[in-house]
């Protein structure tokens, strides 16, 4: 995504929060940055309680994420050729949510991206694979476009500590649980 496009939707403080989330190894900095980023999704201080390890809020988020994505996937009309992908992502969703409930975020981090990429493809079709999809998403639905910017900013393979990985994934889950 072109850096100048996102600055039309996200302020410098938020851009710095993303940089801090991605680069810091200090858990306090990671949590503070995630809370600032959560403000983009209307969560802010509510996300702070989710970011606390083994919280009741985290359990509720996992259930909400599961239920909302399940509905979204089931209600999305797809071409016959994409029915297999739809079934696969439903299976991956069940597997991922079970792992998240047990705090297994590191091992299932790559699967989170597979789920998100598949769901976005099911929703937007081949447009989701276009080079300009990020800009397109910002134009048609700025809130979703900002979420997509966040997801595209995360490294696909991260060697982060469990808590940092957990917070990064939970933030993406929060948006999808409420979309």
């Amino acid at each position: 995504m072109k850096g100048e496009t996102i600055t039309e939707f996200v302020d410098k403080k938020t851009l710095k929060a993303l940089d801090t989330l991605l680069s810091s190894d200090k858990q306090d900095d990671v949590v503070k940055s995630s809370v600032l980023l959560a403000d983009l999704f209307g969560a802010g201080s509510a996300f702070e309680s989710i970011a606390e390890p083994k919280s009741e809020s985290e359990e509720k988020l996992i259930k909400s994420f599961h239920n909302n994505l399940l509905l979204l996937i089931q209600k999305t009309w797809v071409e016959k050729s994409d029915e297999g992908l739809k079934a696969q992502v439903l299976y991956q969703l069940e597997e991922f949510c079970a792992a998240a409930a047990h705090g297994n975020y590191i091992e299932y981090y790559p699967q989170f991206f597979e789920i998100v990429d598949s769901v976005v493809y099911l929703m937007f079709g081949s447009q989701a694979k276009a080079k300009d999809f990020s800009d397109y998403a910002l134009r048609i639905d700025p809130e979703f476009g900002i979420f997509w910017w966040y997801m595209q900013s995360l490294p696909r393979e991260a060697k982060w500590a469990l808590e940092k990985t957990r917070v990064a994934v939970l933030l993406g889950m929060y948006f999808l649980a409420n979309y």
Side-chain angles (χ1 to χ4, degrees):
M1 176 180 301
K2 295 179 183 170
E4 63 273 2
T5 304
I6 195 63
T7 59
E8 294 174 30
F9 299 89
V10 177
D11 63 23
K12 288 181 182 179
K13 184 173 96 175
T14 305
L15 292 171
K16 178 145 177 52
L18 178 64
D19 287 341
T20 300
L21 175 76
L22 296 174
S23 64
S24 181
D25 292 328
K26 297 178 184 172
Q27 190 57 26
D28 285 349
D29 291 344
V30 169
V31 171
K32 286 177 188 171
S33 297
S34 70
V35 171
L36 281 173
L37 289 164
D39 280 335
L40 290 172
F41 307 142
S45 60
F47 188 75
E48 198 165 6
S49 67
I50 293 168
E52 292 176 20
K54 299 290 181 195
S55 69
E56 189 175 307
S57 299
E58 179 181 355
E59 290 175 33
K60 288 180 182 177
L61 175 61
I62 293 168
K63 287 177 186 169
S64 293
F65 170 77
H66 173 266
N67 293 339
N68 202 42
L69 240 59
L70 189 63
L71 279 173
L72 187 62
I73 295 163
Q74 289 175 337
K75 299 294 181 193
T76 300
W77 180 86
V78 296
E79 297 286 340
K80 196 164 197 70
S81 60
D82 289 329
E83 287 176 1
L85 176 62
K86 193 173 181 176
Q88 177 186 340
V89 77
L90 286 169
Y91 174 78
Q92 287 176 316
L93 177 64
E94 296 300 323
E95 193 175 61
F96 174 80
C97 288
H102 289 98
N104 197 350
Y105 291 97
I106 291 177
E107 183 180 343
Y108 283 83
Y109 180 81
Q111 191 172 31
F112 178 64
F113 285 101
E114 290 176 30
I115 292 166
V116 171
D117 289 347
S118 295
V119 169
V120 170
Y121 175 78
L122 291 173
M123 290 170 55
F124 292 96
S126 61
Q127 179 65 38
K129 296 188 186 270
K131 287 182 181 178
D132 67 343
F133 179 69
S134 296
D135 290 334
Y136 171 79
L138 278 168
R139 286 192 308 275
I140 63 162
D141 183 349
E143 188 176 278
F144 178 82
I146 291 168
F147 161 74
W148 191 245
W149 162 76
Y150 171 73
M151 290 301 299
Q152 295 302 299
S153 298
L154 295 175
R156 292 298 171 120
E157 292 181 22
K159 301 281 189 231
W160 292 336
L162 173 60
E163 284 306 309
K164 181 174 179 169
T165 304
R166 183 182 150 277
V167 167
V169 169
L170 289 174
L171 187 54
M173 289 172 65
Y174 184 86
F175 175 82
L176 290 170
N178 295 288
Y179 187 63

